[in-house]
């Protein structure tokens, strides 16, 4: 048992944990809370890796030592703590009841030292499971499935993102089962798997930042252009949406109120569009839905759902849509939807008796002149 042997056996784990730590130190996207919690999880994984290495080496000795029993109890306990820490990375609420299985697991693990209720170590240094030997795996399984339940139920993932989440979930379940099947160095299975999962989740979050608008959480303009090329002829229709009166809200109540309005209508869009279609914020108050494989009836129903949900809030939008005809380019499709949007917006301002040209002239007169700016 030596430091060199430990590094040799855990080289991949050490590289990933150091690399992720360095990335977190320079990260500008994630909340400080999440960065701190990932750092805590990394530390717990490192402690578990070291303690497991020492415990396994003590187990290879012909003579029993009390240190092995204490380290075994520690290893059983820290697994639940690590899973709680991971849950706090993804879902930070409900701390109190999350700790109950963890506390029970820790109590039983250390109670096993004198009683053997979860595990026991004989005088000839042989390890065996007690009557509750599989209970820690059950408790850890509860944590794991709670995490998966919260992720899939609480977040509106897109189809492509779900593929990554399903893969990560399968790997996480395998991580729980592997120690039961392969008892030799099961600690390596756990630490390297969890650390890779953390790294993948970190990359997954960064990918979401590059694809989503930071204010509304809708897909952004960059993703819009990428998806036009990606889906190509599968785009059967396009819905163009423009918020009415955003400038008036910004001028009258400030940009913070304008941001609140954009968030409110974006929530309406997400509820009406659902997961299978793609909605983007392509400008300040401009939004677009790329309809993949939808018929005209389905598109009309979607537009009706958007309009119905907008009636429940105090903001309004003008909407136009166009169906893609044979041999129609995407630019032609967009212009057709935009023309319908323009007519809808013109009708809205006429019915509201608002002179948009007057508003634009007023905005120009209120702008400071170059001379006054230079002064």
């Amino acid at each position: 048992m030596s430091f060199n042997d430990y590094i040799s056996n855990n080289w991949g784990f050490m590289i990933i944990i150091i690399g992720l730590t360095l990335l977190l130190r320079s990260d500008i996207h994630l909340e400080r809370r999440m960065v701190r919690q990932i750092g805590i999880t990394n530390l717990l994984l490192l402690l578990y890796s070291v303690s497991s290495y020492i415990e396994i080496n003590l187990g290879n000795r012909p003579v029993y030592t009390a240190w092995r029993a204490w380290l075994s109890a520690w290893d059983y306990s820290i697994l639940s703590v690590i899973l709680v820490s991971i849950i706090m990375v993804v879902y930070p609420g409900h701390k109190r009841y999350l700790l109950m299985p963890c506390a029970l697991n820790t109590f039983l693990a250390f109670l096993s030292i004198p009683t053997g209720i979860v595990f026991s170590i004989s005088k000839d240094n042989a390890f065996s499971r007690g009557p509750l030997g599989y209970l820690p795996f059950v408790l850890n399984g509860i944590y794991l499935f709670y995490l998966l339940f919260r992720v899939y139920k609480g977040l509106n993932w897109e189809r492509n993102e779900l593929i990554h989440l399903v893969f990560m979930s399968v790997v996480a379940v395998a991580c729980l089962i592997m120690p039961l099947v392969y008892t030799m160095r099961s600690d390596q299975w756990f630490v390297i798997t969890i650390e890779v999962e953390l790294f993948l989740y970190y990359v997954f979050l960064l990918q979401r930042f590059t694809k989503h608008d930071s204010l509304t959480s809708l897909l952004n303009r960059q993703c819009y252009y990428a998806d036009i090329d990606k889906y190509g002829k599968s785009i059967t229709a396009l819905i163009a949406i423009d918020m009415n009166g955003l400038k008036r809200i910004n001028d009258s109540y400030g940009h913070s109120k304008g941001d609140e309005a954009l968030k409110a209508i974006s929530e309406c869009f997400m509820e009406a569009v659902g997961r299978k279609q793609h909605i983007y914020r392509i400008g300040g108050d401009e939004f677009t839905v790329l309809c993949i494989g939808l018929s005209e009836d389905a598109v009309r129903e979607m537009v009706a759902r958007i309009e119905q949900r907008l009636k429940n809030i105090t903001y309004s939008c003008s909407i136009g849509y166009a169906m893609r005809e044979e041999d129609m380019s995407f630019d032609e499709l967009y212009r057709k939807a935009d023309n319908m949007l323009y007519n809808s917006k013109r009708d809205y301002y006429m019915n509201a008796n608002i002179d948009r040209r007057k508003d634009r002239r007023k905005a120009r007169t209120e702008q400071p002149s170059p001379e006054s700016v230079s002064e």
Side-chain angles (χ1 to χ4, degrees):
M1 182 171 62
S2 67
F3 176 76
N4 290 336
D5 289 337
Y6 170 78
I7 295 298
S8 176
N9 291 328
N10 295 274
W11 178 252
F13 166 68
M14 296 301 297
I15 290 297
I16 297 174
I17 199 172
I18 293 172
L20 181 56
T21 301
L22 293 174
L23 287 173
L24 289 172
R25 285 178 60 86
S26 60
D27 186 85
I28 60 173
H29 300 288
L30 300 185
E31 298 177 8
R32 291 298 94 189
R33 175 204 62 81
M34 180 176 288
V35 171
R36 182 171 60 253
Q37 196 65 47
I38 294 177
I40 292 172
T41 307
N42 277 343
L43 178 60
L44 292 172
L45 285 168
L46 180 60
L47 292 174
Y48 173 69
S49 174
V50 172
S51 64
S52 294
Y53 175 75
I54 297 174
E55 189 273 328
I56 288 171
N57 279 275
L58 291 176
N60 293 330
R61 295 181 177 181
V63 181
Y64 167 80
T65 59
W67 277 108
R68 187 188 179 196
W70 285 97
L71 285 173
S72 295
W74 162 264
D75 289 345
Y76 272 109
S77 303
I78 199 172
L79 288 176
S80 296
V81 179
I82 290 171
L83 290 174
V84 170
S85 184
I86 293 171
I87 292 173
M88 299 308 297
V89 170
V90 182
Y91 187 78
H94 310 294
K95 295 182 181 180
R96 290 184 179 178
Y97 72 74
L98 275 180
L99 293 174
M100 293 176 61
C102 182
L104 175 62
N105 186 45
T106 301
F107 173 75
L108 293 176
F110 282 94
L111 184 64
S112 293
I113 296 175
T115 65
I117 191 171
V118 175
F119 69 91
S120 61
I121 303 174
S122 64
K123 292 299 182 180
D124 58 354
N125 210 22
F127 180 94
S128 60
R129 299 187 191 277
L132 301 180
Y134 291 98
L135 182 60
F137 294 95
V138 174
L139 295 177
N140 291 336
I142 292 174
Y143 279 127
L144 178 59
F145 285 105
Y146 171 81
L147 173 63
L148 299 180
F149 172 77
R150 295 302 307 186
V151 168
Y152 286 103
K153 187 177 186 302
L155 300 175
N156 186 24
W157 303 111
E158 300 162 29
R159 181 178 178 182
N160 292 336
E161 294 173 341
L162 278 173
I163 294 174
H164 298 292
L165 289 173
V166 167
F167 170 76
M168 293 170 64
S169 302
V170 170
V171 172
V173 173
C175 176
L176 186 67
I177 297 174
M178 284 299 181
L180 298 174
V181 180
Y182 302 98
T183 56
M184 295 299 294
R185 295 314 309 269
S186 61
D187 61 307
Q188 289 187 343
W189 284 97
F190 184 83
V191 294
I192 191 66
T193 302
I194 295 300
E195 191 61 32
V196 169
E197 289 271 272
L198 280 175
F199 186 84
L200 290 176
Y201 186 69
Y202 175 75
V203 173
F204 173 78
L205 290 176
L206 292 186
Q207 186 184 46
R208 283 182 62 84
F209 278 115
T210 63
K211 293 173 59 178
H212 290 259
D213 174 59
S214 59
L215 177 64
T216 63
S217 297
L218 301 178
L219 296 170
N220 59 25
R221 189 183 186 95
Q222 180 182 1
C223 188
Y224 167 70
Y225 288 125
D227 284 353
I228 292 172
D229 292 332
K230 178 180 179 180
Y231 292 104
K233 294 296 184 180
S234 298
I235 302 173
T236 56
L238 185 142
I239 302 174
I241 308 171
D242 197 292
M243 181 180 176
N244 297 321
L246 178 61
K247 186 180 183 307
R248 283 177 170 264
I249 296 174
N250 288 334
D251 292 344
S252 302
Y253 305 104
H255 286 272
S256 61
K257 288 295 183 181
D259 289 345
E260 290 179 11
L262 290 170
K263 291 178 182 178
I265 65 172
S266 296
E267 290 176 3
C268 293
F269 299 156
M270 286 188 283
E271 292 172 0
V273 171
R275 296 182 179 181
K276 294 184 179 180
Q277 305 303 319
H278 307 267
I279 181 164
Y280 311 80
R281 183 189 180 196
I282 60 173
D285 56 357
E286 300 174 21
F287 306 86
T288 297
V289 181
L290 295 181
C291 301
I292 313 299
L294 290 186
S295 65
E296 185 165 4
D297 288 341
V299 173
R300 286 177 177 173
E301 290 175 4
M302 184 185 297
V303 171
R305 289 197 302 270
I306 294 173
E307 291 174 339
Q308 182 61 40
R309 281 168 172 77
L310 287 172
K311 290 179 181 178
N312 298 328
I313 61 177
T314 57
Y315 311 109
S316 69
C317 295
S318 297
I319 303 176
Y321 78 89
M323 301 301 300
R324 195 168 197 169
E325 300 172 2
E326 189 175 357
D327 298 328
M328 177 185 283
S329 68
F330 183 83
D331 289 339
E332 292 173 324
L333 176 68
Y334 181 84
R335 283 196 296 270
K336 188 174 179 181
D338 194 52
N339 287 335
M340 184 177 178
L341 170 67
Y342 175 82
N343 293 332
S344 174
K345 185 167 282 290
R346 181 193 59 197
D347 294 341
Y348 167 81
Y349 282 105
M350 286 181 60
N351 294 333
N353 197 26
I354 298 174
D355 188 347
R356 298 182 69 195
R357 291 174 298 181
K358 182 179 179 180
D359 286 350
R360 284 194 290 266
R361 287 195 299 269
K362 180 180 178 182
R364 284 196 295 268
T365 58
E366 290 176 350
Q367 290 179 353
S369 64
E371 293 79 6
S372 62
V373 171
S374 63
E375 293 174 357

